[in-house]
């Protein structure tokens, strides 16, 4: 069990390194793409996709599994070590987790640049302006013109009945 945990932690680190390395340069993926596809279907020069970088989950799982199957075959034939399946499953899962951890950190790094903050600030400013314009329009349409002030003396109002008298009028109390 301890060896499996060590392999899991190391494979998380391997996943982080693989993702980071592939985000910097996808030369191997580009080379294989050039060998397997004709000129019309080859990836564009500005495409950053790699085996792990910018791939959906299923394709990452396929590529990482192939990597560890090749490693298992080499380990099986080159050394007398008999590797167990649980170690390779642990390594595959750990590597996938590591790639997603690395993508979260790289995405967070890219989204905290000054230009992105300025874009977000401008969008928020526009939204607030639109909201305040809508509110102003609703209040302006509901406003009634204020009556003109005249110098008339207020009329004497009839004295209001007390609450007790109103209840007596309604017949609630005697």
């Amino acid at each position: 069990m301890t060896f499996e945990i060590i392999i899991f932690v190391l494979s998380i680190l391997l996943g982080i390194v693989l993702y980071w390395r592939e985000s910097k340069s996808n030369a191997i993926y580009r080379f294989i793409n050039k060998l397997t596809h004709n000129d019309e279907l080859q990836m564009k020069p500005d495409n950053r996709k790699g085996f792990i970088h910018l791939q959906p989950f299923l394709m990452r799982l396929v590529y990482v599994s192939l990597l560890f199957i090749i490693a298992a075959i080499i380990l099986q034939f080159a050394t007398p070590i008999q590797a167990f399946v649980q170690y390779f499953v642990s390594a595959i899962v750990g590597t996938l987790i590591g790639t997603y951890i690395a993508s979260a950190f790289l995405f967070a790094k890219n989204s905290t640049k000054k230009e992105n903050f300025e874009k977000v600030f401008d969008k928020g400013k526009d939204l607030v302006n639109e909201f305040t314009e809508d509110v102003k329009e609703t209040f302006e349409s509901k406003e009634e013109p204020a009556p003109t002030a005249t110098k008339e003396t207020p009329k004497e109002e009839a004295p209001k009945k007390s609450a007790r008298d109103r209840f007596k009028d309604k017949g609630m109390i005697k």
Side-chain angles (χ1 to χ4, degrees):
M1 184 68 178
T2 305
F3 192 57
E4 190 173 332
I5 293 172
I6 293 169
I7 289 175
F8 183 73
V9 170
L10 289 176
S11 64
I12 288 175
L13 295 174
L14 175 69
I16 292 170
V17 169
L18 285 175
Y19 190 89
W20 176 76
R21 179 69 183 118
E22 203 167 68
S23 70
K24 297 293 181 195
S25 169
N26 60 351
I28 298 172
Y29 188 80
R30 193 174 296 280
F31 175 72
I32 291 175
N33 184 277
K34 192 175 278 190
L35 288 177
T36 58
H37 294 82
N38 63 6
D39 290 335
E40 295 143 6
L41 297 176
Q42 286 178 4
M43 55 192 295
K44 306 290 184 252
D46 60 342
N47 192 346
R48 310 263 314 143
K49 186 183 275 191
F51 289 108
I52 297 170
H53 184 66
L54 299 178
Q55 287 285 359
F57 171 74
L58 198 55
M59 290 309 296
R60 281 188 195 190
L61 178 65
V62 168
Y63 290 134
V64 169
S65 298
L66 282 174
L67 173 73
F68 281 104
I69 287 173
I70 292 169
I73 291 171
I74 291 171
L75 188 68
Q76 185 75 25
F77 290 114
T79 64
I81 298 173
Q82 295 293 322
F84 299 105
V85 175
Q86 69 229 25
Y87 297 139
F88 286 103
V89 170
S90 174
I92 290 170
V93 170
T95 304
L96 286 174
I97 290 172
T99 60
Y100 280 102
I101 289 171
S103 68
F105 281 115
L106 286 176
F107 178 72
K109 178 183 155 191
N110 290 338
S111 66
T112 56
K113 289 184 179 176
K114 186 176 181 180
E115 298 87 26
N116 291 338
F117 281 134
E118 290 173 356
K119 288 179 187 175
V120 169
F121 179 74
D122 291 338
K123 284 182 184 178
K125 198 177 192 181
D126 293 340
L127 288 174
V128 169
N129 287 338
E130 289 174 10
F131 179 72
T132 54
E133 288 172 5
D134 292 343
V135 171
K136 284 180 184 176
E137 289 173 4
T138 57
F139 280 121
E140 288 173 357
S141 64
K142 290 183 180 179
E143 285 183 6
E144 296 177 6
T148 57
T150 58
K151 293 187 176 182
E152 295 179 11
T153 57
K155 298 178 183 175
E156 292 185 24
E157 297 178 6
K160 292 184 179 178
K161 291 185 177 180
S162 66
R164 183 176 178 83
D165 292 335
R166 287 183 292 195
F167 280 135
K168 280 184 182 179
D169 292 343
K170 290 182 182 178
M172 298 178 120
I173 58 173
K174 294 184 181 185

